[in-house]
Amino acid sequence: METSLDTAQPRWQQVVKRIASLILHQWLLFGIGIVCALAYCFPNVAKPGGTIRSEYSIMYGVIAIIFLISGLSIPRQKLISHVLNWRLHLIVQVISFLFIPALILAIVYIILAVDPGGKIDRAVLAGYIFTACIPTTIASNVVMTRSAGGDDAAALVEVLLANILGPFVTAAWTIALMPKTVEFDPWRYGGGDLGSMYKEVFQQLGLSVLLPLFIGQLVRWTWPDRTAWVMQKTKLPKLASFCLLLLIWATFSSCFATGALQTLSAESIVFVVLFNIILYITLTAVCFFCSRPPQVFSSRRWSKPIFKRMSPQETIAVCFCGPAKSTALGIPLLYAMWQPVDLFLKAKTSVPVLLYTTEQICVAHFFVQLFRWWHARIIEKEDVDDSTGDDVEIGMAEELRGDYAGRDHEHTTV
C-alpha cells in the first residue's frame, strides 16, 4: 500500500523528498558551506573584535557549551580510567607533537629543494611548521568522536592533556624546527612576548573547558538518573554539532578579514587546500595503524603491551585527536610569538592554521560516517562470533549427552 502511494506521487515531490533527505543527512556539510559564504560576504561580523565579539561569544561561550554537554554525558569512571591510560596518551601526544612536526619538516625541505623560485610562499611553509607543532583542537574532535560512536571520554582527556602541554611545547619547538636560511629569519627572530599569551590561553582553557566540564560532571554525579533522562529526551548532544558551525564561521571570518587568502598566489592556495586534505587522510591512517596494528606485531610476549590493539571506541578517539590541530590556541600563540612581525606577514602565516583546522572538520565529517560503519561491522562480527560460540557449546553439550546416554545404554545391556 505504501509503495503504491509513493509511486502515485508526482515526480517533483519525489525529487524534493530526496533532496530534503540528503540535506538532513549531510546538514553539517551544507552548514559549513553556508557559514563560509557568510564569512566571505560579512567578515567583520564574526572576526575577533567584530560585531559579535567572537573572541568571547564563540571562543568562550560556544566552547563552554560543548564541554558542559560533555560533562553531562560522560560517566566519571570513564574519565578516571582514561587519565591512567598511558598507551592512549603516548600514541596521541607522540603523533601530535613529534611525528607530525617531523613529517611536515621533511616536506618543507623537499619543497625548498624543488621550488627555488619561491612559487610556494615562504610564509605558508613557516605557517605549516607552526601548525605541525600546535596541539589538537579543543572542541571538534570530541564532537566528531561522539558522533562516530567512539569514546568521547578518551578524546576529552587527550584534549585537556594536549592543550596544557601545548603552550609550553609549541613556541620552542617551532623556533627550533624553522629552517636556518635568510628567508625564514622573520620567524626565527620574532621576539614576541609570550607572557600575555600564556595568561590568555590558560584563562580560556579554565573558563571555557575545565569549569563547564566540572559543572557538568557535578550535575551528573548529583542527579545521575535524571541527567541521563534529560540528555536522552532533549537530544542535547546534537547541539554540540551545531556549535561546530559557529567555530568554523569565526575561523573563516578571521581569515577573510585579514585579506591573507586573497593576496596569496594561486599556486600557494591550490597547494594548501590539496595538501591539507592529503595530510589529514594520511595522518588518520597512521593513527588507525598505531591503535590497531596487525596481529603479527603482538605475537611475542614482550611486544604485547606496546602493540596491543585498542578497542574500536578508543581507536576512533585516537583517529580524531591525533591529526587535528587547534585554532583556539594556534592563532593567539602565532600573534604572540611574532608580535613585532608585520601584520600582513602574520596574516599569511596564519593561512595554513586557518585552512587546515577548517578542512579537517570537513574531511572528518566523512570519516564520521566511515568509522560509524566500521564500528557497526565490528560489533556485528563480534555478535556473530558469540552466537557461533554458543551454538558450538550447545552442540558439544548435546553430543556429550548423547555419548553419555549411549554409554549408559551399553552398560545396561551388558
Side-chain angles (χ1 to χ4, degrees):
M1 186 70 180
E2 290 179 359
T3 307
S4 61
L5 286 174
D6 290 339
T7 54
Q9 288 181 343
R11 184 169 182 80
W12 67 269
Q13 288 187 2
Q14 297 178 18
V15 172
V16 169
K17 278 189 174 182
R18 288 179 182 176
I19 294 174
S21 176
L22 176 64
I23 293 174
L24 286 174
H25 281 88
Q26 305 295 334
W27 69 270
L28 184 61
L29 202 60
F30 286 102
I32 291 173
I34 292 170
V35 297
C36 288
L38 289 173
Y40 179 77
C41 297
F42 312 102
N44 293 324
V45 175
K47 72 174 185 179
T51 307
I52 65 169
R53 300 301 298 269
S54 63
E55 69 271 26
Y56 300 113
S57 62
I58 292 180
M59 291 304 171
Y60 279 86
V62 169
I63 292 177
I65 291 172
I66 291 174
F67 281 93
L68 177 63
I69 294 171
S70 296
L72 292 169
S73 305
I74 299 173
R76 176 183 54 181
Q77 294 79 6
K78 288 181 69 177
L79 281 177
I80 295 173
S81 66
H82 286 307
V83 167
L84 304 176
N85 191 341
W86 64 268
R87 188 162 175 262
L88 177 68
H89 304 328
L90 187 66
I91 291 176
V92 174
Q93 306 309 328
V94 166
I95 288 174
S96 184
F97 288 118
L98 292 179
F99 178 79
I100 297 178
L103 176 64
I104 292 296
L105 188 63
I107 293 171
V108 166
Y109 275 110
I110 292 172
I111 292 171
L112 292 174
V114 301
D115 181 32
K119 290 185 178 180
I120 305 298
D121 199 305
R122 290 339 185 209
V124 170
L125 298 182
Y128 266 115
I129 294 174
F130 172 77
T131 304
C133 297
I134 60 180
T136 187
T137 185
I138 291 177
S140 63
N141 44 20
V142 177
V143 177
M144 294 294 184
T145 299
R146 185 186 299 122
S147 300
D151 193 333
D152 51 347
L156 181 57
V157 169
E158 295 313 305
V159 163
L160 294 176
L161 179 60
N163 282 272
I164 290 171
L165 294 174
F168 302 104
V169 173
T170 301
W173 200 211
T174 301
I175 300 301
L177 296 180
M178 204 63 67
K180 307 298 188 290
T181 57
V182 176
E183 53 193 347
F184 287 94
D185 280 351
W187 297 279
R188 284 192 294 121
Y189 305 109
D193 179 19
L194 299 181
S196 59
M197 184 279 301
Y198 284 128
K199 180 182 177 182
E200 180 182 346
V201 167
F202 284 112
Q203 177 179 303
Q204 181 184 6
L205 194 64
L207 293 178
S208 64
V209 176
L210 294 176
L211 182 60
L213 179 64
F214 174 76
I215 293 173
Q217 284 285 286
L218 186 63
V219 171
R220 185 180 177 92
W221 297 346
T222 308
W223 303 286
D225 296 334
R226 190 175 302 176
T227 302
W229 182 84
V230 170
M231 295 294 289
Q232 183 180 4
K233 291 296 181 181
T234 60
K235 306 292 184 183
L236 200 57
K238 292 185 180 295
L239 178 62
S241 299
F242 175 75
C243 290
L244 282 183
L245 295 179
L246 299 178
L247 290 172
I248 297 171
W249 181 35
T251 301
F252 259 100
S253 294
S254 303
C255 197
F256 288 126
T258 59
L261 271 177
Q262 295 89 320
T263 57
L264 285 176
S265 65
E267 291 89 348
S268 296
I269 293 294
V270 171
F271 167 75
V272 170
V273 172
L274 295 180
F275 179 68
N276 287 343
I277 296 173
I278 295 171
L279 178 63
Y280 187 84
I281 294 173
T282 302
L283 293 176
T284 303
V286 170
C287 290
F288 186 86
F289 176 82
C290 292
S291 303
R292 293 180 70 84
Q295 295 286 2
V296 66
F297 286 92
S298 58
S299 58
R300 298 182 181 275
R301 182 179 299 177
W302 63 268
S303 63
K304 279 185 178 181
I306 301 174
F307 295 105
K308 181 182 177 182
R309 284 189 162 192
M310 288 184 167
S311 68
Q313 293 88 346
E314 289 182 354
T315 300
I316 293 171
V318 170
C319 288
F320 282 116
C321 290
K325 294 296 177 180
S326 171
T327 306
L329 175 65
I331 296 303
L333 182 56
L334 185 149
Y335 280 83
M337 280 177 59
W338 294 306
Q339 190 173 0
V341 176
D342 178 67
L343 179 62
F344 179 68
L345 191 60
K346 285 188 288 190
K348 288 202 295 184
T349 308
S350 69
V351 168
V353 186
L354 294 169
L355 286 186
Y356 183 81
T357 53
T358 303
E359 287 183 73
Q360 76 187 8
I361 296 176
C362 298
V363 180
H365 174 69
F366 292 101
F367 275 117
V368 166
Q369 313 300 326
L370 180 62
F371 280 123
R372 191 182 292 166
W373 170 83
W374 172 74
H375 190 199
R377 285 284 305 273
I378 294 291
I379 294 174
E380 183 181 346
K381 183 179 179 182
E382 289 176 352
D383 290 343
V384 170
D385 291 343
D386 290 343
S387 63
T388 303
D390 293 342
D391 291 343
V392 170
E393 290 178 2
I394 292 171
M396 290 178 63
E398 290 178 350
E399 185 177 347
L400 286 171
R401 282 198 298 269
D403 188 26
Y404 289 140
R407 290 179 184 177
D408 291 341
H409 176 70
E410 291 174 2
H411 181 70
T412 304
T413 306
V414 173

